[in-house]
Amino acid sequence: MQAFILAAGLGTRLKPLTDTMPKALVPVGGKPLLQHQIERLSAAGFSRIVINVHHFGEQIIDFVERYKAQSAADTAVELLISDERLELLDTGGALRHAAHLFDPTQPVLVHNVDILHNVDLARLYARHTADAASATLLVSPRDTSRYLVFDAAMHLIGWKNIKTGEVKGTIPPSSAEDGAGRLLAFSGIHVLSPSLLSEMQAWPARFSIIDFYLATCRHTTILGTEFEGFRMVDVGKIDTLAIAEDFITKNR
C-alpha cells in the first residue's frame, strides 16, 4: 500500500508557530504532526509514503532524513519527498506533481498532515479496492459550512457552501433548491485509483483536488464512505492544539 501526506501548506492559521517552522513539524503529544502520520501509516501496513514540501521545506526534508536514519532497523517503509519549494501547487496539483513517485498499479491514500483521527486506514484502503471506485472519500456528518453532496448511493454529485448558498457540481436544480441529497463533511482523507492520476496530467499545474473530483464525478465513480464512531481533530488553529493533545492522549 502507498500513501501521500499533504505537508506543503503555509499553516497561516497556526501563526506565530509557523513563522519559524512548517505546520507538519508543529509538535502535538511530544511528536511533530508529520511523525504521527508516518507512524500511523506504517503501522497500518503502508510501505511507501510520499510527502510534499513547500513552506520551510528544507526543515521537513531534514526531519525525514533523521527519521529514516533513526528508524531504519524498525521499519521497512520507504519515505520519498515531492518538492514544491518553487511553487505551491494546491491539493490536486500536488498529486499531479508527485504522480511519478507512486507505483502506477496501486491506489494512493491521500492524507492531510494536520488531521488526527481514529480510522483504520488499511480498512479504508481495502474498502476502496473492494468497491472498485475511482476515488473513495472519507466523510462524516460533522458541522461545517462547506459540504460535499452525495446521492442515495453515496456517489459524489456536488459541493455546497451553506453560508453563501454557492453550489458546484452535478446537483440537479431541484436538489439544490429543496435541500435533497446527503450533505457530508470531507475529512481530508481519501483514496484514488491510478487511472485518476493519469487523468490529472491534462489539468494545469495548480488545482484543487475537490474541483477535480467534482469534474470527474460526471464520468467516474467518486464515492463517499463513513465509518461508525469516526472522530477527528483538524489541527488547523492555535486553539485546537490543546484539543489535539487530549485526543492523542486518549487514543494512544
Side-chain angles (χ1 to χ4, degrees):
M1 296 187 293
Q2 56 186 352
F4 185 40
I5 300 176
L6 289 164
L10 300 176
T12 52
R13 295 181 300 160
L14 281 171
K15 285 179 171 289
L17 293 177
T18 49
D19 288 336
T20 56
M21 71 172 70
K23 175 171 60 176
L25 298 186
V26 169
V28 175
K31 297 178 183 178
L33 283 166
L34 179 58
Q35 185 172 344
H36 284 291
Q37 310 304 359
I38 292 172
E39 291 178 350
R40 187 175 183 90
L41 287 163
S42 179
F46 287 81
S47 58
R48 176 180 295 182
I49 301 172
V50 178
I51 303 157
N52 74 329
V53 301
H54 175 76
H55 183 59
F56 290 118
E58 64 283 352
Q59 290 188 29
I60 297 178
I61 293 170
D62 289 345
F63 169 81
V64 169
E65 290 305 314
R66 291 195 305 271
Y67 182 85
K68 288 196 292 187
Q70 294 167 1
S71 61
D74 302 319
T75 179
V77 67
E78 181 182 18
L79 298 176
L80 302 172
I81 296 293
S82 179
D83 196 339
E84 295 179 30
R85 283 178 290 179
L86 292 179
E87 181 184 10
L88 190 59
L89 300 175
D90 207 338
T91 49
L95 269 163
R96 180 185 184 277
H97 183 70
H100 68 286
L101 297 172
F102 299 113
D103 181 337
T105 67
Q106 295 182 24
V108 178
L109 183 143
V110 184
H111 197 304
N112 287 358
V113 75
D114 55 0
I115 300 298
L116 302 174
H117 59 87
N118 64 342
V119 168
D120 182 337
L121 294 173
R123 185 178 166 205
L124 173 62
Y125 197 91
R127 183 178 292 185
H128 168 81
T129 302
D131 289 341
S134 296
T136 302
L137 285 55
L138 178 62
V139 294
S140 69
R142 64 186 174 86
D143 292 336
T144 185
S145 60
R146 294 169 294 180
Y147 288 94
L148 295 178
V149 186
F150 299 87
D151 65 15
M154 288 299 285
H155 292 94
L156 179 67
I157 59 172
W159 173 96
K160 184 172 185 178
N161 186 320
I162 61 171
K163 285 187 175 180
T164 66
E166 182 184 3
V167 173
K168 298 179 182 179
T170 58
I171 309 172
S174 59
S175 297
E177 292 168 3
D178 62 22
R182 291 199 66 193
L183 273 63
L184 295 165
F186 182 43
S187 66
I189 304 168
H190 46 120
V191 187
L192 70 156
S193 296
S195 60
L196 289 188
L197 289 177
S198 299
E199 189 165 341
M200 286 178 183
Q201 299 309 308
W203 280 59
R206 179 186 173 91
F207 62 94
S208 159
I209 191 62
I210 294 300
D211 287 345
F212 176 79
Y213 284 150
L214 291 171
T216 57
C217 71
R218 300 170 184 173
H219 61 270
T220 61
T221 303
I222 312 294
L223 295 178
T225 191
E226 298 177 85
F227 277 75
E228 185 177 356
F230 172 61
R231 289 179 293 118
M232 63 167 276
V233 177
D234 179 351
V235 193
K237 300 178 182 179
I238 290 292
D239 58 7
T240 60
L241 289 175
I243 298 171
E245 293 274 356
D246 184 62
F247 185 88
I248 288 293
T249 299
K250 292 178 178 178
N251 291 274
R252 290 190 187 278

